[in-house]
Amino acid sequence: MASKINKPKLMHNGKRLDGRMPDELRKIRIEAGVLKNANGSAYLEWGKNRIIAAIYGPRDVVPKHFADPNAAIIKCRYSMAPFSSLEEHGRAGQNRRAIEISKVIKEVFENAVILEEFPNSEIDIFLEVLQSDGSTRAACINAAAVALASAGIPMKDMVYGVSVGKVDGEICVDVDMIEDNYSEADMPMAISHRDNRILLLQMDGEMDSSEIRKGFDMAVAAGEKIKSLQREALLQMYKGV
Amino acid sequence: MKKIVLPGDEMYDKPVRANHTYVEGGRTFSKVLGIYNEEKDELVPLEGAWHPRVGNSIVGIVASVDRSTSSIELRHSSYGILINDRMSRYSPRKGDIVESVVKSIERKSVPVMDRVRPIDGPPLLIYVKPAKVPRLLGRNDSMVKQIEELTDTRIVAGLNGFVAVSGRGINMAVASIRKIESEAHTYGLTDRIREMLISMKNDS
Amino acid sequence: MGGINELKGAYIRSALNEGKRLDSREVFEMREIKVESDILSNAEGSARVKLGDTDVIAGLKVVVEEPHSDTPKEGNLVVSAELLQMASADFESGPPSPAAIELARVVDRGIRAGNCVNLERLFIEDGKVYSLYVDIYVLDYDGNLFDACTVAAMSALMNARLPKYANGELDRKDRNTQLEIQNVVTSTTFGKFGDNIVLDMNADEEQAADARITITTDGKTVRAMQKGLKGHFTIDEVERLIGISIKKNADISSRMGK
């Protein structure tokens, strides 16, 4: 958000810088089952975002004293590769931002996964952003949900992630990197497939309540497309049924 | 008709007790990525790590032998406990490949093993996705028996995913097991495996 | 996985005594190498390399820095490698393991000693040089990371472009200058089991090997070597493996840049 200096005009005749309409998603491609060692995995292209998600478990908790005798625990690690951004060479590993994102994504799946089935176990979600172009946490949630399903992890429901933002006064779905840098507000969220339950919600900037309402409506409308792409990715693993 | 369902997909518009489903708000939903067979009204998971249940037949490796107990490796860094029985005809040795049955689950997650028998050989041990083992066995073990006959091997498949193969046609047997693993969800698999093995035999 | 690995090891050894490998490869046969180049647009160079089921990705970033005081007219090249936890159930979190550090250093040495990049060409003006940071991520592990990572780093360098530097600023949108590659190195890593030696070990074989040697060549001369693990090689063996390594260079380098 922040800098208003050198802010480019983000909307031209009702269209966004990359030519999208306000309610239009970027191009999304999801592939499930891309890694051999992981119990489940997914590769996701979302605009210029490139994400790989891998799941291990349920497996025994390390170290043992973290184990919950009544349920599985979830560990989540989101990080950005040092070469993921167009700008400077980043640092390997997790910074404070990555640790916070890992935590809120973990909480999404603590809701969706049926943890009670696996006492004393852990389920690991690894999310690597190989290339970032805005809304990476929403993109990671989409990849993680597909990867979890492909690992055979029991869940109450599937989950998708999507962001909305206020761009030159206009509410837009799926903000990209440039929009995110100069927008008036940004609101990433994770939503359950069936009942539209909000499992992740963050927001910063400024929006009034009617704009937020409009943002939710746009997110849910765009969600239809994302949900069908997630489903399609999983079905592709079993062609020939 | 078979169809693939995702976690959260509605299975019945009323409460039904069925495997791999849960009930919420008077309706029944799938918990897993699975395949639903309408004729049999049965939901089978397509993926998933093995979780011990009482009565499961497994294949494992004796990892350590102490005075009163032995441990049997069942999957990556996960062990079952065997109470050593002096009266038993078999006394475990480290490194033995064994078949066994889960007798009980202690502390909610530690399987206690029973009826431990060594598998002669030594066999080749391979790992198959646990969700695919029931298909490898087939109805009344029909699939695994077919492979054993056509390849002159002995196959012991554990629900934990370890499969011990010994005998003459190990390579052919392993090739057919891998094919089953990747095509477990398709129709007519038993016939395709038979055709594959017969044509491999004719080639060699 | 103590028991299972010991068991697999015994099987691998007994098969090798009959000249066989469990995946039915010849002893000096590499698995198929697949390279996808220039796959990331934010990075200044990139490549994803699959060697059998081993899957690695290399990304290259260019930054402008001060030169090292002992080489004021040369740019820098830094190769790092990270064993992501997603790549194997055995990889742990935390700071880089000694194995990851050895991997990065061996790959880095081969490319540096191979003079692959003319570092003097990275000089911009007094006090300003380009630095190339190549980060290799291991996504899926099935053995022989040394050779896969060398192919990945080399391939990322081969499609790297230098952003324009003018008036004290780096313009990453203008990256028309292709990085000049003056030599191409490849590495071959061999494993020894008793008296048997194989090329390109998979994960099971690596668990069981007594000794390992990585030989990096440019197809004519040897540029770097690294022997690993407890076991030993004889001088005759090393000489023979160098010959094989030099011969493999042409085939492996033909996969790069595709």
Side-chain angles (χ1 to χ4, degrees):
Chain A
M1 215 130 331
S3 81
K4 298 286 178 262
I5 310 151
N6 299 328
K7 176 185 167 299
K9 200 167 179 297
L10 296 171
M11 299 290 290
H12 290 271
N13 305 323
K15 283 192 174 175
R16 298 153 76 174
L17 271 188
D18 61 1
R20 282 185 292 155
M21 300 302 288
D23 63 352
E24 199 176 334
L25 291 164
R26 285 172 285 176
K27 193 166 175 279
I28 302 169
R29 189 175 82 82
I30 315 176
E31 193 180 340
V34 293
L35 301 178
K36 173 178 164 270
N37 285 328
N39 297 106
S41 59
Y43 175 69
L44 175 139
E45 297 182 359
W46 181 307
K48 279 168 66 185
N49 287 313
R50 300 285 181 273
I51 313 277
I52 192 150
I55 308 298
Y56 280 87
R59 57 182 176 180
D60 291 355
V61 179
V62 189
K64 268 203 161 87
H65 64 266
F66 284 152
D68 178 342
N70 297 310
I73 60 169
I74 290 189
K75 293 183 184 169
C76 178
R77 186 182 192 277
Y78 161 103
S79 77
M80 294 200 5
F83 45 79
S84 61
S85 118
L86 182 60
E87 304 307 320
E88 289 294 286
H89 177 245
R91 282 228 189 130
Q94 288 191 301
N95 53 20
R96 289 167 62 83
R97 170 184 173 275
I99 290 168
E100 185 204 340
I101 292 176
S102 301
K103 177 175 182 291
V104 292
I105 294 178
K106 175 177 85 119
E107 287 159 352
V108 168
F109 293 105
E110 283 175 341
N111 179 293
V113 173
I114 302 174
L115 300 170
E116 307 78 58
E117 298 219 347
F118 307 111
N120 293 314
S121 302
E122 73 177 49
I123 294 166
D124 295 86
I125 304 173
F126 298 116
L127 298 164
E128 289 295 338
V129 179
L130 301 173
Q131 181 159 288
S132 64
D133 187 27
S135 301
T136 58
R137 78 196 70 183
C140 280
I141 286 161
N142 291 313
V146 170
L148 279 162
S150 80
I153 305 283
M155 289 189 276
K156 283 187 285 195
D157 202 355
M158 288 289 286
V159 182
Y160 67 91
V162 67
S163 68
V164 298
K166 186 173 170 184
V167 180
D168 280 358
E170 186 88 38
I171 304 301
C172 291
V173 76
D174 184 20
V175 290
D176 64 21
M177 183 69 93
I178 297 175
E179 292 174 334
D180 188 35
N181 285 344
Y182 298 106
S183 64
E184 293 101 87
D186 166 37
M187 182 166 82
M189 58 201 114
I191 302 176
S192 71
H193 274 210
R194 196 175 63 234
D195 300 328
N196 296 334
R197 294 178 186 175
I198 304 290
L199 303 181
L200 177 148
L201 179 64
Q202 297 180 296
M203 185 263 178
D204 72 331
E206 186 178 10
M207 285 199 281
D208 67 26
S209 51
S210 70
E211 287 168 336
I212 288 178
R213 176 72 233 184
K214 188 175 179 194
F216 281 136
D217 289 345
M218 287 174 89
V220 169
E224 290 306 316
K225 176 82 190 286
I226 304 170
K227 290 193 279 193
S228 72
L229 289 167
Q230 288 179 307
R231 179 173 297 270
E232 194 49 41
L234 288 164
L235 296 187
Q236 277 296 312
M237 290 175 73
Y238 311 99
K239 278 180 287 188
V241 173
Chain B
M1 269 294 284
K2 285 181 177 181
K3 71 169 182 195
I4 292 175
V5 299
L6 270 54
D9 282 359
E10 185 176 271
M11 304 300 295
Y12 312 97
D13 59 5
K14 56 180 187 292
V16 173
R17 275 181 74 105
N19 287 337
H20 313 294
T21 67
Y22 71 99
V23 173
E24 190 179 278
R27 297 189 290 162
T28 305
F29 305 99
S30 174
K31 285 180 188 174
V32 294
L33 174 66
I35 190 154
Y36 177 66
N37 186 326
E38 277 179 24
E39 285 104 65
K40 292 196 233 161
D41 188 22
E42 180 188 44
L43 175 60
V44 178
L46 282 160
E47 303 290 338
W50 174 68
H51 252 72
R53 303 258 186 267
V54 172
N56 282 176
S57 297
I58 62 88
V59 170
I61 295 133
V62 178
S64 66
V65 181
D66 293 329
R67 266 154 60 104
S68 56
T69 61
S70 305
S71 71
I72 298 173
E73 189 163 352
L74 302 175
R75 63 190 166 97
H76 192 273
S77 328
S78 184
Y79 301 88
I81 306 278
L82 173 69
I83 313 292
N84 294 342
D85 177 1
R86 273 162 227 273
M87 305 302 286
S88 164
R89 265 197 297 176
Y90 167 65
S91 51
R93 283 173 317 172
K94 186 170 184 270
D96 283 356
I97 300 177
V98 295
E99 53 185 313
S100 181
V101 175
V102 177
K103 183 167 84 176
S104 63
I105 312 281
E106 294 301 317
R107 286 186 284 130
K108 294 188 177 171
S109 59
V110 181
V112 177
M113 311 310 301
D114 191 18
R115 287 157 42 202
V116 178
R117 281 202 312 259
I119 300 171
D120 296 334
L124 173 65
L125 196 65
I126 62 171
Y127 183 77
V128 172
K129 283 184 178 182
K132 313 296 179 189
V133 172
R135 191 68 195 88
L136 167 60
L137 294 170
R139 190 168 302 235
N140 302 322
D141 295 346
S142 56
M143 181 72 95
V144 77
K145 280 179 185 156
Q146 167 178 286
I147 303 170
E148 285 179 324
E149 275 165 28
L150 288 168
T151 61
D152 195 8
T153 54
R154 176 162 184 258
I155 299 172
V156 187
L159 289 170
N160 57 329
F162 283 128
V163 178
V165 189
S166 52
R168 276 161 49 93
I170 288 185
N171 289 346
M172 281 167 66
V174 171
S176 55
I177 291 168
R178 293 294 174 217
K179 189 176 171 72
I180 293 164
E181 195 181 16
S182 63
E183 299 177 16
H185 54 282
T186 59
Y187 279 113
L189 188 55
T190 312
D191 294 339
R192 285 207 304 286
I193 293 294
R194 184 186 306 120
E195 283 161 23
M196 180 181 106
L197 288 173
I198 289 170
S199 83
M200 280 174 93
K201 265 184 138 167
N202 292 342
D203 286 349
S204 63
Chain C
M1 240 176 156
I4 291 158
N5 281 337
E6 278 173 36
L7 211 94
K8 276 183 182 158
Y11 221 91
I12 287 166
R13 284 161 183 282
S14 69
L16 273 176
N17 284 335
E18 297 165 31
K20 283 183 191 158
R21 292 171 89 170
L22 294 192
D23 57 8
S24 66
R25 270 187 292 156
E26 303 289 327
V27 286
F28 294 130
E29 182 182 343
M30 275 190 113
R31 291 168 291 177
E32 194 187 352
I33 302 172
K34 285 188 198 146
V35 182
E36 277 180 275
S37 280
D38 205 4
I39 48 166
L40 300 174
S41 54
N42 284 351
E44 276 82 35
S46 59
R48 183 162 175 179
V49 173
K50 291 190 185 170
L51 173 61
D53 283 322
T54 286
D55 190 348
V56 306
I57 187 163
L60 182 149
K61 288 301 289 182
V62 179
V63 302
V64 172
E65 292 179 328
E66 282 184 23
H68 290 305
S69 55
D70 52 340
T71 52
K73 298 284 180 193
E74 288 183 12
N76 304 306
L77 170 64
V78 181
V79 179
S80 321
E82 187 150 0
L83 307 181
L84 296 185
Q85 274 181 280
M86 69 166 62
S88 163
D90 294 323
F91 291 177
E92 286 164 8
S93 62
S97 64
I101 291 169
E102 183 189 30
L103 169 66
R105 290 177 61 85
V106 169
V107 174
D108 185 65
R109 270 204 295 276
I111 290 172
R112 219 174 260 283
N115 249 330
C116 300
V117 177
N118 185 342
L119 296 177
E120 287 172 10
R121 290 289 184 92
L122 300 177
F123 176 80
I124 301 171
E125 60 190 40
D126 281 335
K128 291 272 179 270
V129 295
Y130 287 114
S131 290
L132 313 179
Y133 287 89
V134 181
D135 289 272
I136 310 168
Y137 266 32
V138 178
L139 303 175
D140 215 351
Y141 166 71
D142 190 18
N144 198 7
L145 295 176
F146 289 96
D147 299 350
C149 289
T150 298
V151 173
M154 215 46 249
S155 302
L157 286 165
M158 286 165 84
N159 67 68
R161 295 152 314 251
L162 297 175
K164 189 173 170 187
Y165 185 82
N167 308 320
E169 282 204 46
L170 200 59
D171 180 3
R172 292 184 188 275
K173 299 256 158 62
D174 181 350
R175 346 163 139 165
N176 291 321
T177 313
Q178 185 81 33
L179 177 70
E180 193 187 310
I181 301 296
Q182 51 187 18
N183 200 13
V184 175
V185 296
T186 59
S187 76
T188 48
T189 299
F190 301 87
K192 189 172 172 190
F193 308 75
D195 291 329
N196 300 307
I197 298 178
V198 305
L199 173 61
D200 180 28
M201 292 182 282
N202 64 25
D204 288 341
E205 290 173 332
E206 275 188 0
Q207 291 282 352
D210 303 322
R212 185 192 73 218
I213 188 166
T214 301
I215 301 170
T216 308
T217 84
D218 58 10
K220 296 183 277 297
T221 57
V222 178
R223 297 298 185 141
M225 291 200 277
Q226 178 93 343
K227 185 254 159 192
L229 307 181
K230 274 195 304 194
H232 74 277
F233 290 92
T234 65
I235 292 171
D236 287 348
E237 283 168 348
V238 174
E239 280 190 332
R240 175 159 167 252
L241 298 180
I242 287 172
I244 294 167
S245 188
I246 288 175
K247 266 194 211 134
K248 293 277 177 190
N249 173 274
D251 183 42
I252 299 170
S253 41
S254 74
R255 316 273 154 177
M256 295 175 186
K258 274 184 191 164

